[in-house]
């Protein structure tokens, strides 16, 4: 059987590209290839990952320049045709800038970068990113300075109504409150998807918790869920 | 533009001495012109020439069977770790810039040390640091602290190297002059390393990376004088960092090195083009013809002097293999970076600079550099009287605390003891997905992908001990560093050092420096951990005070099998707790004296290197046999602090303990003593006999003191500390101090 292929976009300043590649290919055993930002070929990837990092230095606004790179024309076309795209951290910011997901990302409420393990409550267990995961809570790290998800009331209620909120920050017992919100995100939002259930943006880093050697593997469940959904199509 | 006339007065203004100026005249056989004077002044500054330290540094052990590149040979040392891999690592100071511009000062400190690693062909896999500040009760200190932490974080986070560990101390001696020492660790395949040399007449010399601006001019000279009120005016000497460009420079540099398109490469740090051209030429016994008009500039109208002395960051000098220029240009173009051929290698040993058709400088490369013509001084030493005064301290004059509980809570909430979570959560400690043990334990542990091995790394120095007893205190720094490597399951490999001292022209300062080097040499020889390189930072003095002598040790160890990785916190209930090593009720320079009595006096704790080595060897073999569930060394704060840390360092799963700590003469003395060569370990019940048999056969003293379990730390059936209260002190103290409303 053909292995599911992940295409991992490399922008100048991406720094979680190798981590994503290593996790899906070496740890989980799927196929993976890097996609250079100046090119336009998605190389027959089934899933596109926009990785974390600081694309173009994030000097203007996170993700705002990356979305204009040549490869993004193709990613946007792919996504609009129903292709599966996962934006992680800076990748989530790029998805917002590209208009593939609603809302914006602003600086963390603390005004500081934050790197730590957090608990994610799976809010939507029917998405292709979560529907094969057999538990409610995942332990996944965050590492960002601009992860404070913001959208107007209308957008937030539409995200709710359409069950587009995939992950929310919670306590270890699944309690959702300000205390467990690492960045001030509206509704403790950690990850959202499009209505069509094909594009996921999330601030936490699932690629950082796949390898058992590092002691945490909950991130692998998200990639496995996507692949299982592709195989069962 | 008319250039200033060069005379003795101008030379003195450039920080050169009268003798040095006449030597320069002798070397050249004439008076240097303005550009030449500028180049000499930075190259012969303390920062670049190590003129007041190199003679002593050469007494340190710099050889070992695993050393592929020793100290001073390249930008960083290189140690063989098997599997065809080598580790490159180095620590460097950025104290002076951080004192006036904490954010950029610290950021460019990180940038500089990362370049030192990847200019060797090694990919940086971990960053650490060692920081010293004044008291957090002082608003300016909080400003410096906040800026330094943000600078380190922003640079490393964007570059994509995990900042995995380090140490931070607060003491009023650092008030006007914080210490910011940055360390980086990189990995390279043996045989794919690069060297910083210029060889082959006619080989093209290229400048790559950022363009050159007016930032950082005379940064090296600024770092070679004491901090004063005038230092604020030197803010333009501080460089500005661009971690995004550095990340691109990393990828492009590693590509050209891996493809074997270059003869040599050197990063541009202090003294910019001056330093890289002269050092590469001197190493290759060659010279260079450079056309400064080819250097990409940030602004018009820069003079030759400014271009040569600029310390603009994120630049490299490359000597290409003839015929490979096009491929190198293509690579840098792919990464959207400048790459310009600015000259060629010559055979005459002269650095010849042309600008606008004029020859602006003709300097013999070898005379400019350390190991060549740069001056070497042996300074006068004098025993400082303060040492005897402080040692002559009667510990019995200290009143016993009314409440041990209160005293302990004071110690356990001291910023020197508590968790530095407020700091390290601002650092990305996990990027690259190799971090097995991140910040907060005795050592950080980095997995080496594709092998079954990991590296352990830490930085260590208790400067109060060094202040009280320079030689023994420095031995302790090495010993503790090694102990921390062993506690994490590793075997110490080698060290890098960052020697932060005052003005070397003061004989007392120099005596302390000399003693420290002797202590370091003795300990490094004993543990077989050679010095692979490092950095000396003198002139750490401000109008308020001279800093404590602070010889920071950065150590790297090898964990042969990742199954041996050990952390400091208790793992399960009902495990047995042992203390390895003896207590001698030593309180000199202790955190207890400092916090509860506001005294820094006495002598540093004693250190017996043989005892230490035996402890480490027993502990490591016990870890390798799978008998040790946790290991944590007893250091600042003493045994009570160490035990409390074992209980709560795993914040999500605290485990209490019930222990009996032997009291020798006084409760406070025994509980807060900082005697060396001691470790708290926990052992599973079923391994009791096996462990005690092995311990009995070793020469290391061991004491069963109690068991893990419960939600408090119970001591001697007398004191009880609830873990949630300890955790609140430990994890919130720094945040509370930083959130003061002004």
């Amino acid at each position: 059987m053909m292995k599911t292929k992940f295409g991992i976009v490399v922008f100048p300043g991406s720094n979680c590209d190798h981590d994503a590649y290593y996790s899906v290919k070496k740890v989980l055993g799927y196929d993976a290839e890097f996609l250079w930002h100046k090119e336009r070929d998605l190389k027959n990837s089934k899933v596109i990952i926009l990785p974390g990092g600081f694309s173009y230095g994030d000097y203007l606004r996170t993700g705002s320049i990356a979305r204009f790179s040549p490869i993004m024309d193709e990613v946007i076309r792919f996504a609009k045709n129903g292709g599966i795209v996962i934006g992680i951290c800076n990748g989530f910011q790029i998805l917002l800038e590209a208009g593939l997901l609603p809302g914006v990302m602003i600086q963390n409420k603390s005004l500081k970068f934050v790197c730590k393990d957090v608990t994610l409550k799976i809010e939507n267990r029917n998405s292709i990113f979560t529907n094969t995961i057999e538990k409610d809570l995942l332990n996944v790290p965050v590492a960002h300075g601009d992860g404070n998800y913001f959208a107007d009331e209308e957008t937030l209620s539409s995200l709710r109504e359409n069950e587009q909120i995939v992950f929310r920050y919670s306590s270890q017992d699944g309690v959702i409150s300000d205390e467990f919100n690492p960045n001030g995100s509206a509704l403790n939002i950690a990850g959202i998807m499009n209505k069509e259930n094909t594009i996921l943006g999330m601030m936490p880093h699932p690629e950082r918790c796949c390898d058992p050697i590092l002691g945490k593997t909950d991130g692998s469940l998200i990639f496995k869920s996507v692949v299982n959904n592709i195989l069962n199509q | 533009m008319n250039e200033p006339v060069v005379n003795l007065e101008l030379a003195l203004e450039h920080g050169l001495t009268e003798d040095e100026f006449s030597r320069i005249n002798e070397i050249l056989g004439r008076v240097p012109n303005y550009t030449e004077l500028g180049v000499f002044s930075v190259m012969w500054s303390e920062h670049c020439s190590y003129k007041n330290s190199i003679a002593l540094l050469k007494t340190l052990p710099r050889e070992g069977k695993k050393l592929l590149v020793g100290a001073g040979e390249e930008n960083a040392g290189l140690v063989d770790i098997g599997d065809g891999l080598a580790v490159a690592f180095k620590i460097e100071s950025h104290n002076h810039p951080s004192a006036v511009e904490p954010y950029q000062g610290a950021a460019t400190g990180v940038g500089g040390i990362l370049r030192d690693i990847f200019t060797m062909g090694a990919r940086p896999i971990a960053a650490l640091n060692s920081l010293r500040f004044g008291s957090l009760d002082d608003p300016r200190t909080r400003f410096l602290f906040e800026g330094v932490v943000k600078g380190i974080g922003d640079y490393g986070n964007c570059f994509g190297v995990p900042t995995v560990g380090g140490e931070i101390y607060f003491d009023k001696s650092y008030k006007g002059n914080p210490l910011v020492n940055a360390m980086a660790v990189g990995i390279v395949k043996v045989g794919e390393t690069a060297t910083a040399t210029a060889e082959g007449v006619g080989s093209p010399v290229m400048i790559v990376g950022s363009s050159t601006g007016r930032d950082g001019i005379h940064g090296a000279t600024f770092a070679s004088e004491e901090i004063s009120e005038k230092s604020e005016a030197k803010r333009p000497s501080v460089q500005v960092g661009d971690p995004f460009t550095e990340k691109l420079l990393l990828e492009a540099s590693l590509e050209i090195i891996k493809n074997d398109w270059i003869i040599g490469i050197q990063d541009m740090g202090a003294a910019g083009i001056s330093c890289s051209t002269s050092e590469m030429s001197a190493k290759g016994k060659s010279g260079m013809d450079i056309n400064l008009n080819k250097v990409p500039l940030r602004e018009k109208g820069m003079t030759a002097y400014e271009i040569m002395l600029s310390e603009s960051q994120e630049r490299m000098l490359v000597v290409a293999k003839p015929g490979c220029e096009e491929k190198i240009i293509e690579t840098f173009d792919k990464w959207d970076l400048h790459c310009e051929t600015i000259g060629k290698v010559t055979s005459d040993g002269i650095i010849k600079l042309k600008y606008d058709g004029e020859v602006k400088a003709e300097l013999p490369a070898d005379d400019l550099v350390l190991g060549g013509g740069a001056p070497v001084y042996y300074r006068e030493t004098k025993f400082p009287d303060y040492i005897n005064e402080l040692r002559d301290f009667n510990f019995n004059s200290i009143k016993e605390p009314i409440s041990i509980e209160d005293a302990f809570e004071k110690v356990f909430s001291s910023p020197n003891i508590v968790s530095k979570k407020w700091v390290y959560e601002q650092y990305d400690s996990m990027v690259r997905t190799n971090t097995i043990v991140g910040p907060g334990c005795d050592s950080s542990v980095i997995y080496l992908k594709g092998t079954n091995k990991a590296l352990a790394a830490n930085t260590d120095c208790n400067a109060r001990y060094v202040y009280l007893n320079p030689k023994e205190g420095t031995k302790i720094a090495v010993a503790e560093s090694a102990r921390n490597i062993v506690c994490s399951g590793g075997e110490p490999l080698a060290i890098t050092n960052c020697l932060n001292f005052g003005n070397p022209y003061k004989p007392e300062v120099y005596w302390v420096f000399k003693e420290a080097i002797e202590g370091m040499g003795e300990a490094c020889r004993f543990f077989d951990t050679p010095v692979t390189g490092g950095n000396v930072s003198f002139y750490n003095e401000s109008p308020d005070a001279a800093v404590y002598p602070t010889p920071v040790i950065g150590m790297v160890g090898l964990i042969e099998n990742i199954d041996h990785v050990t952390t400091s916190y208790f793992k399960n209930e009902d495990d047995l707790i042992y203390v390895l090593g003896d207590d001698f009720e030593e309180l000199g320079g202790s955190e207890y004296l400092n916090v509860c009595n506001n005294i820094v006096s006495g002598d540093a704790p004693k250190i017996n290197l043989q005892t230490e080595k035996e402890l480490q060897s027993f502990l490591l073999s016990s870890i390798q046999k799978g008998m040790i569930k946790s290991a944590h060394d007893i250091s600042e704060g003493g045994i009570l602090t160490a035990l409390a840390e074992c209980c709560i360092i795993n914040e999500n799963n605290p485990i209490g303990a019930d222990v009996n700590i032997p009291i020798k003469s006084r409760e406070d003395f025994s509980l807060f003593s900082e005697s060396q060569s001691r470790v708290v370990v926990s052992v599973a019940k079923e391994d009791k006999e096996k462990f005690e048999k092995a311990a009995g056969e070793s020469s290391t003293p061991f004491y069963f003191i109690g068991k893990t379990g419960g939600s408090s730390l119970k001591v001697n059936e007398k004191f009880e500390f609830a873990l949630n209260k300890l955790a609140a002190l430990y994890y919130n103290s720094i945040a509370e101090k930083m959130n003061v409303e002004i």
Side-chain angles (χ1 to χ4, degrees), chain A residues 136-154:
Chain A
D136 292 324
L137 303 171
L138 302 179
N139 181 17
V140 181
V142 290
H144 57 249
D146 294 59
N148 185 350
Y149 181 79
F150 181 82
D152 58 29
E153 280 305 323
E154 206 179 318

Short mmCIF file of all heavy atoms in Angstrom, two decimals, chain A residues 136-154:
data_model
loop_
_atom_site.label_atom_id
_atom_site.label_comp_id
_atom_site.label_asym_id
_atom_site.label_seq_id
_atom_site.Cartn_x
_atom_site.Cartn_y
_atom_site.Cartn_z
N ASP A 136 -10.16 12.31 25.59
CA ASP A 136 -10.66 13.68 25.50
C ASP A 136 -9.56 14.72 25.59
O ASP A 136 -9.71 15.83 25.13
CB ASP A 136 -11.60 13.99 26.69
CG ASP A 136 -12.88 13.20 26.57
OD1 ASP A 136 -13.34 13.02 25.44
OD2 ASP A 136 -13.40 12.76 27.63
N LEU A 137 -8.47 14.34 26.29
CA LEU A 137 -7.44 15.33 26.62
C LEU A 137 -6.10 14.91 26.05
O LEU A 137 -5.73 13.74 26.10
CB LEU A 137 -7.32 15.46 28.14
CG LEU A 137 -8.61 15.85 28.88
CD1 LEU A 137 -8.41 15.72 30.38
CD2 LEU A 137 -9.01 17.28 28.52
N LEU A 138 -5.37 15.88 25.51
CA LEU A 138 -4.04 15.61 24.97
C LEU A 138 -3.02 16.50 25.69
O LEU A 138 -3.32 17.64 26.03
CB LEU A 138 -3.99 15.93 23.47
CG LEU A 138 -4.97 15.21 22.56
CD1 LEU A 138 -4.78 15.70 21.12
CD2 LEU A 138 -4.77 13.70 22.64
N ASN A 139 -1.83 15.98 25.87
CA ASN A 139 -0.74 16.76 26.46
C ASN A 139 0.23 17.14 25.34
O ASN A 139 0.91 16.28 24.79
CB ASN A 139 -0.06 15.92 27.55
CG ASN A 139 1.06 16.67 28.22
OD1 ASN A 139 1.15 17.89 28.12
ND2 ASN A 139 1.94 15.94 28.89
N VAL A 140 0.26 18.41 25.00
CA VAL A 140 1.04 18.89 23.85
C VAL A 140 1.71 20.21 24.24
O VAL A 140 1.10 21.02 24.94
CB VAL A 140 0.10 19.13 22.63
CG1 VAL A 140 0.88 19.60 21.42
CG2 VAL A 140 -0.68 17.86 22.28
N PRO A 141 2.96 20.44 23.81
CA PRO A 141 3.59 21.71 24.18
C PRO A 141 3.20 22.89 23.29
O PRO A 141 2.88 22.70 22.12
CB PRO A 141 5.09 21.43 24.03
CG PRO A 141 5.18 20.32 23.07
CD PRO A 141 3.91 19.52 23.16
N VAL A 142 3.26 24.08 23.86
CA VAL A 142 3.16 25.30 23.06
C VAL A 142 4.51 26.02 23.11
O VAL A 142 5.28 25.84 24.06
CB VAL A 142 2.09 26.29 23.59
CG1 VAL A 142 0.70 25.75 23.38
CG2 VAL A 142 2.33 26.65 25.04
N ALA A 143 4.79 26.82 22.10
CA ALA A 143 6.01 27.65 22.08
C ALA A 143 5.77 28.79 21.11
O ALA A 143 5.93 28.64 19.90
CB ALA A 143 7.21 26.82 21.64
N HIS A 144 5.30 29.91 21.63
CA HIS A 144 5.01 31.03 20.74
C HIS A 144 4.95 32.35 21.50
O HIS A 144 4.76 32.38 22.71
CB HIS A 144 3.67 30.80 20.02
CG HIS A 144 2.52 30.59 20.97
ND1 HIS A 144 1.88 29.37 21.09
CD2 HIS A 144 1.89 31.41 21.83
CE1 HIS A 144 0.91 29.47 21.99
NE2 HIS A 144 0.90 30.71 22.46
N GLY A 145 5.12 33.43 20.76
CA GLY A 145 4.97 34.76 21.33
C GLY A 145 3.65 35.41 20.91
O GLY A 145 3.15 36.30 21.58
N ASP A 146 3.12 34.94 19.79
CA ASP A 146 1.88 35.51 19.25
C ASP A 146 0.86 34.40 19.05
O ASP A 146 0.62 33.97 17.92
CB ASP A 146 2.14 36.21 17.90
CG ASP A 146 3.02 37.42 18.04
OD1 ASP A 146 4.16 37.25 18.52
OD2 ASP A 146 2.60 38.52 17.66
N GLY A 147 0.26 33.96 20.12
CA GLY A 147 -0.67 32.84 20.01
C GLY A 147 -2.03 33.16 20.56
O GLY A 147 -2.84 32.29 20.85
N ASN A 148 -2.28 34.45 20.71
CA ASN A 148 -3.51 34.93 21.34
C ASN A 148 -4.58 35.07 20.25
O ASN A 148 -4.65 36.08 19.55
CB ASN A 148 -3.18 36.27 22.00
CG ASN A 148 -4.34 36.84 22.79
OD1 ASN A 148 -5.46 36.35 22.71
ND2 ASN A 148 -4.05 37.88 23.55
N TYR A 149 -5.40 34.02 20.09
CA TYR A 149 -6.39 33.99 19.01
C TYR A 149 -7.49 35.00 19.27
O TYR A 149 -8.07 35.04 20.36
CB TYR A 149 -6.98 32.60 18.85
CG TYR A 149 -7.99 32.52 17.74
CD1 TYR A 149 -7.57 32.42 16.41
CD2 TYR A 149 -9.35 32.58 17.99
CE1 TYR A 149 -8.49 32.39 15.37
CE2 TYR A 149 -10.28 32.55 16.97
CZ TYR A 149 -9.83 32.45 15.66
OH TYR A 149 -10.75 32.44 14.63
N PHE A 150 -7.78 35.79 18.26
CA PHE A 150 -8.79 36.84 18.41
C PHE A 150 -9.73 36.84 17.20
O PHE A 150 -9.28 36.70 16.07
CB PHE A 150 -8.11 38.21 18.54
CG PHE A 150 -9.07 39.35 18.72
CD1 PHE A 150 -9.59 39.64 19.98
CD2 PHE A 150 -9.49 40.11 17.63
CE1 PHE A 150 -10.50 40.67 20.15
CE2 PHE A 150 -10.40 41.15 17.79
CZ PHE A 150 -10.90 41.43 19.06
N ALA A 151 -11.02 36.98 17.48
CA ALA A 151 -12.00 37.14 16.40
C ALA A 151 -13.20 37.87 16.98
O ALA A 151 -13.39 37.89 18.19
CB ALA A 151 -12.41 35.78 15.85
N ASP A 152 -14.00 38.47 16.12
CA ASP A 152 -15.17 39.18 16.64
C ASP A 152 -16.23 38.18 17.11
O ASP A 152 -16.17 36.99 16.81
CB ASP A 152 -15.72 40.18 15.61
CG ASP A 152 -16.09 39.50 14.30
OD1 ASP A 152 -16.47 38.30 14.34
OD2 ASP A 152 -16.00 40.16 13.25
N GLU A 153 -17.20 38.70 17.83
CA GLU A 153 -18.23 37.84 18.44
C GLU A 153 -18.93 36.97 17.39
O GLU A 153 -19.19 35.80 17.62
CB GLU A 153 -19.27 38.71 19.17
CG GLU A 153 -18.81 39.17 20.54
CD GLU A 153 -18.40 38.03 21.46
OE1 GLU A 153 -19.06 36.95 21.40
OE2 GLU A 153 -17.41 38.17 22.20
N GLU A 154 -19.21 37.61 16.28
CA GLU A 154 -19.94 36.90 15.22
C GLU A 154 -19.15 35.68 14.74
O GLU A 154 -19.69 34.58 14.62
CB GLU A 154 -20.12 37.88 14.07
CG GLU A 154 -21.29 37.60 13.18
CD GLU A 154 -21.37 38.68 12.09
OE1 GLU A 154 -21.16 39.87 12.41
OE2 GLU A 154 -21.59 38.32 10.93
#
